[in-house]
Structure formats: C-alpha cells, structure tokens
Amino acid sequence: MFLHHVYEYLKGVRQLILHTTLTEHLCEMEARLRKEEIAYVAYPLGCSRVNLFFGNPLCVEVVRRIAKPNLTEWTEEEDFILGILLGYDKLQQCRRFLDFRERSRERLVG
C-alpha cells in the first residue's frame, strides 16, 4: 500500500498522504521518500506503529506546525484542515466539523 501511496503522490492524485505502519518498516519507507525527494514527517503511535505523513512540502509543513503527534488531540479546525489536505470530500468534512463542534458544545453545557 505504501508504494501505491507514493505512486499516487508522484502522479498528482493526492497532495498529502497519511500512512500508518509498523515502526519496523519506517526506515525503509523514509529511505524511499528521501530517494524520491518527497517531504515527510513521522509520529510514533505507541511502541509498534507510526503515522507517516508525506507529500507536498507545504502540506507536510502544515502538519508539522500543528505539532500534535496524537490525532485525537487535534482541534475541530485542525481536523478539518487535515481532512481537506488528505483529499477527503469537502462536504463530508464540513459535516464532520459541525458534528464535532456540536458534540464539544454539548459536553460543555451538559
């Protein structure tokens, strides 16, 4: 799947990819991304897995500057931005954002 993601980026299908993999595969994947001169940032998920973001340097820099390795810590706005950068359907992302915001509001009130 990783090589397919690289192919999609190189062909312009996607501008940013989030690939979750086992930590043991990270060095090999990083070597491939460096060879192809593809920007990336990796965030560990516990001991055995890692989230690997790669693609357009501008998109990767947005992820890097948000600087929250754990996706569950992202705000509604950050989650929305990530979904758009990953190429998710814009209307579904709008619905997700609004639902996320409503649930947050309910927790504050209730």
Side-chain angles (χ1 to χ4, degrees):
M1 184 56 88
F2 170 74
L3 293 177
H4 181 72
H5 284 151
V6 170
Y7 174 83
E8 285 185 339
Y9 172 69
L10 292 174
K11 292 299 181 185
V13 174
R14 295 202 218 179
Q15 294 298 309
L16 182 69
I17 291 94
L18 167 55
H19 184 83
T20 302
T21 189
L22 296 173
T23 304
E24 63 194 57
H25 300 301
L26 182 59
C27 288
E28 179 183 332
M29 291 177 179
E30 288 178 319
R32 179 60 182 256
L33 294 171
R34 284 191 299 273
K35 177 183 174 201
E36 300 289 347
E37 298 181 350
I38 300 173
Y40 70 92
V41 63
Y43 293 121
L45 296 171
C47 301
S48 62
R49 295 183 316 142
V50 62
N51 274 339
L52 181 61
F53 292 91
F54 64 92
N56 183 286
L58 291 172
C59 298
V60 172
E61 187 60 24
V62 168
V63 172
R64 186 177 280 117
R65 290 201 187 186
I66 290 174
K68 294 178 184 172
N70 188 338
L71 295 177
T72 62
E73 297 174 2
W74 288 42
T75 67
E76 296 97 341
E77 291 84 1
E78 292 164 343
D79 180 82
F80 180 82
I81 291 167
L82 178 61
I84 296 300
L85 291 177
L86 289 170
Y88 298 169
D89 179 87
K90 291 174 185 68
L91 295 178
Q92 287 182 11
Q93 280 304 109
C94 289
R95 173 57 46 211
R96 178 179 164 86
F97 173 81
L98 294 172
D99 290 346
F100 197 175
R101 182 57 63 93
E102 184 62 30
R103 285 192 305 274
S104 295
R105 189 179 354 248
E106 289 172 1
R107 279 193 297 270
L108 290 174
V109 173

